[in-house]
Amino acid sequence: MTQTLTAPKVKVDRKWQLWIGGKFQDGASERILTNPADGKTLCKVAEASKKQAEEAIKAARKAFDEGPWPQLTAMERAQFLFKLADKIDENADELAELETMNGGKPLREAKYDMADAANCFRYYAGLVTKPTGQAIDVPAPSITTVVREPIGVCAQIIPWNYPLLMAAWKLAPALAAGNTCILKPSEYTPLTAIRLAEILHELELPEGVVNILTGDGAIAGNTLAESKLVDKIAFTGSVKTGKAVAAAALGNLKKVTLELGGKSPMVVFSDFDVDTAVDYALFAIFCNAGQVCSAGSRLLVEETVYDSFVKKLVERAKTITVGPGLEADTEMGPLVNEVQLKRVLEYIEIGKKEGAKLETGGDQPKGDKYGKGFYINPTIFTGVKQDMRIVQEEIFGPVVVVQKFKTEDEAIEMANGTDFGLAGAVFSNDINRAYKVIKKLKAGITWVNSFHNTYNECPWGGYKQSGWGRELGTFGLETYTEVKQINVNLDPAPVGWFEKK
């Protein structure tokens, strides 16, 4: 029998406003948000106009050019970020519940995300106080140093699949480096970002250092990308939108970081335990209902274990408990909204028409508990060909394709055979082979005998059309800095380059 958690403690029927220049304000309009678990209205949220987006940019510009934040010592900024992390921990239950109600993911997943977000702020608080720069040995009487300085005003556009965690990935390094920010959360999942604004307000962050701009991407997001007052833009989302952001950023050649899509392979060799590989495969694709840029959406299995692998994968997938994120026994929640639901269902139909074999799923679960929620059962396709759209294109849902390979070289060719290069994994008990294959995968995030483990200390980003640059780790901090060389002449005297006449 389904065990339901206690009724939501979080009040969503309240004002959800923009935060610009340290002040909360109503938007030019409002958006109605829907609870993905039942399809019912959740709340209304402020939507920014182009004018309000420009106001947020000016607030961030003034905060950087005239405010105290960039002038603080690294230790002072770090102390603030530590306090922010503690506040996230203090409010973790509320934030997790908000994220589940807004985005649909199971509460246990949301709680992990809250802990990761807090730890991301702690990581950069610690990192920014460590020695940086270089002292260069040049001929006397000069001394030369290389220093890193904040870029300036940073616009940050984040997706809906990990709302607060993506906010932390963007804000933590930017603030640690001394920048000011305009954060635009997804118009579908802005609630935890607005709640974060309230926490920052409570902590008395100087006005304009962070601005939370909710609203439509075509209005607010495009204004940020085009503005010549913005020095850097960081975007996480689809390849199509990422290319548009990059094009808009050309106006003033602002720095650009793009973390885009993926179609990540998980390569399974026959010497690896099938049951364990199946377990990882389920986690790789059905975690967060497949709404993960690095999801293991392509399974490449050696032919000698292919049949047994598929049989066990299908059996296990059918037992996954799909349901509302607030129910205690839910293992996979709904998709984020009706738009995404229709997109995934459309890809499932495409797969059928292309001739792929639907082994399980492809439909919506039935029952009163699902209401009009946006659910899809775990879906598995076999009998696929490399050129099929369901193999080549990112679906961003609980849909996986299983392919068969004979040789190591064939597996590598298939694994690299898409326009994406975000992530990939190899499963083999032969560590020499596993390492050889992983080195040949054209992907920025890779695993051997594992999947999805992510660390604030390690770079995140991909090859090919999976993006530009890296987030997290020391790389993430560096992308929010400019490099400057400083040359000092200790004994100035006439150069004598031109003869005195």
Side-chain angles (χ1 to χ4, degrees):
M1 185 174 179
T2 299
Q3 297 179 347
T4 305
L5 296 177
T6 55
K9 304 181 185 67
V10 180
K11 183 180 179 181
V12 293
D13 185 20
R14 42 153 287 191
K15 267 188 174 290
W16 297 96
Q17 298 176 295
L18 313 174
W19 193 47
I20 299 174
K23 297 178 176 61
F24 291 95
Q25 61 176 265
D26 293 336
S29 59
E30 289 185 317
R31 174 183 291 266
I32 296 175
L33 297 184
T34 302
N35 187 334
D38 56 17
K40 295 180 180 179
T41 295
L42 187 64
C43 61
K44 295 179 180 179
V45 178
E47 292 252 290
S49 64
K50 179 177 176 63
K51 182 178 178 181
Q52 288 174 312
E54 291 170 345
E55 183 184 342
I57 294 168
K58 290 176 182 177
R61 185 78 263 168
K62 182 177 180 181
F64 185 79
D65 294 339
E66 303 174 19
W69 186 259
Q71 309 307 320
L72 296 178
T73 65
M75 182 60 73
E76 288 170 326
R77 294 195 299 272
Q79 287 172 344
F80 183 91
L81 296 182
F82 279 127
K83 290 178 183 177
L84 175 57
D86 290 343
K87 276 290 186 182
I88 291 173
D89 281 341
E90 288 174 21
N91 294 275
D93 289 343
E94 174 197 358
L95 290 166
E97 201 164 286
L98 266 181
E99 200 120 300
T100 291
M101 294 170 70
N102 195 182
K105 68 176 60 181
L107 191 60
R108 64 174 183 173
E109 288 186 37
K111 287 183 176 180
Y112 278 115
D113 293 350
M114 301 309 104
D116 281 350
N119 287 332
C120 186
F121 282 108
R122 288 194 181 96
Y123 170 71
Y124 283 106
L127 183 62
V128 76
T129 60
K130 303 304 179 284
T132 59
Q134 300 174 358
I136 311 298
D137 187 6
V138 297
S142 295
I143 59 171
T144 296
T145 57
V146 177
V147 299
R148 286 189 174 271
E149 298 181 336
I151 288 177
V153 175
C154 301
Q156 301 164 314
I157 302 174
I158 60 175
W160 43 258
N161 55 340
Y162 290 91
L164 190 68
L165 186 57
M166 292 295 98
W169 281 23
K170 298 285 193 291
L171 289 173
L175 294 176
N179 299 286
T180 59
C181 304
I182 309 105
L183 178 76
K184 199 205 88 64
S186 167
E187 55 266 41
Y188 302 123
T189 55
L191 299 188
T192 48
I194 298 173
R195 187 68 189 93
L196 181 65
E198 294 169 351
I199 292 172
L200 291 168
H201 191 70
E202 292 170 18
L203 291 173
E204 299 182 342
L205 181 69
E207 292 181 1
V209 173
V210 173
N211 304 270
I212 306 294
L213 197 66
T214 57
D216 187 75
I219 298 173
N222 194 58
T223 302
L224 296 175
E226 289 182 339
S227 176
K228 293 184 179 181
L229 296 179
V230 173
D231 302 301
K232 174 184 170 65
I233 189 158
F235 171 82
T236 298
S238 70
V239 173
K240 180 180 178 182
T241 306
K243 289 179 178 179
V245 167
L250 290 174
N252 66 330
L253 288 179
K254 59 175 62 68
K255 310 296 182 185
V256 179
T257 302
L258 302 174
E259 199 271 273
L260 307 177
K263 194 70 178 177
S264 303
M266 174 176 158
V267 181
V268 180
F269 285 98
S270 60
D271 64 353
F272 195 84
D273 180 71
V274 171
D275 290 320
T276 303
V278 166
D279 190 70
Y280 273 103
L282 295 170
F283 180 56
I285 183 58
F286 299 128
C287 177
N288 201 24
Q291 299 170 121
V292 186
C293 56
S294 58
S297 53
R298 291 187 296 142
L299 298 177
L300 280 57
V301 184
E302 193 167 2
E303 65 173 357
T304 54
V305 293
Y306 178 86
D307 290 339
S308 62
F309 181 95
V310 169
K311 180 182 178 181
K312 292 181 178 183
L313 182 72
V314 171
E315 289 173 351
R316 288 282 308 275
K318 289 179 178 179
T319 68
I320 292 174
T321 303
V322 179
L326 291 180
E327 289 191 357
D329 62 348
T330 291
E331 295 176 310
M332 192 180 89
L335 300 182
V336 68
N337 55 34
E338 189 174 12
V339 173
Q340 192 62 17
L341 174 67
K342 289 180 178 179
R343 170 187 168 86
V344 175
L345 288 173
E346 182 180 343
Y347 266 108
I348 290 169
E349 290 306 310
I350 289 170
K352 293 177 184 177
K353 291 177 181 177
E354 289 180 319
K357 181 182 179 182
L358 181 64
E359 296 284 353
T360 188
D363 58 348
Q364 296 181 257
K366 305 293 190 296
D368 292 340
K369 78 171 184 177
Y370 300 108
K372 294 182 179 179
F374 312 124
Y375 300 92
I376 292 182
N377 284 315
T379 300
I380 300 170
F381 279 106
T382 60
V384 297
K385 298 178 181 179
Q386 189 72 17
D387 62 352
M388 287 183 175
R389 288 182 64 187
I390 59 170
V391 175
Q392 291 293 321
E393 298 176 17
E394 185 176 44
I395 298 173
F396 222 66
V399 180
V400 65
V401 297
V402 192
Q403 298 172 270
K404 184 190 302 182
F405 70 87
K406 293 182 179 180
T407 67
E408 186 179 296
D409 288 341
E410 184 183 12
I412 293 167
E413 183 180 1
M414 292 166 66
N416 289 331
T418 74
D419 290 335
F420 299 102
L422 185 59
V426 175
F427 285 75
S428 174
N429 287 330
D430 183 342
I431 192 62
N432 291 322
R433 174 167 63 181
Y435 197 75
K436 176 185 174 183
V437 175
I438 211 73
K439 288 277 287 180
K440 291 186 177 181
L441 290 192
K442 295 177 181 178
I445 308 147
T446 62
W447 301 277
V448 171
N449 299 341
S450 186
F451 210 102
H452 274 325
N453 41 306
T454 304
Y455 307 101
N456 291 315
E457 298 84 355
C458 298
W460 185 272
Y463 292 19
K464 299 188 282 187
Q465 293 196 43
S466 287
W468 288 349
R470 294 294 183 269
E471 295 187 305
L472 297 183
T474 57
F475 301 87
L477 183 62
E478 289 171 358
T479 62
Y480 283 98
T481 64
E482 290 278 22
V483 179
K484 175 187 285 185
Q485 60 167 294
I486 302 174
N487 300 283
V488 179
N489 186 347
L490 298 177
D491 187 18
V495 177
W497 186 265
F498 297 103
E499 183 180 351
K500 190 175 182 181
K501 298 175 182 177

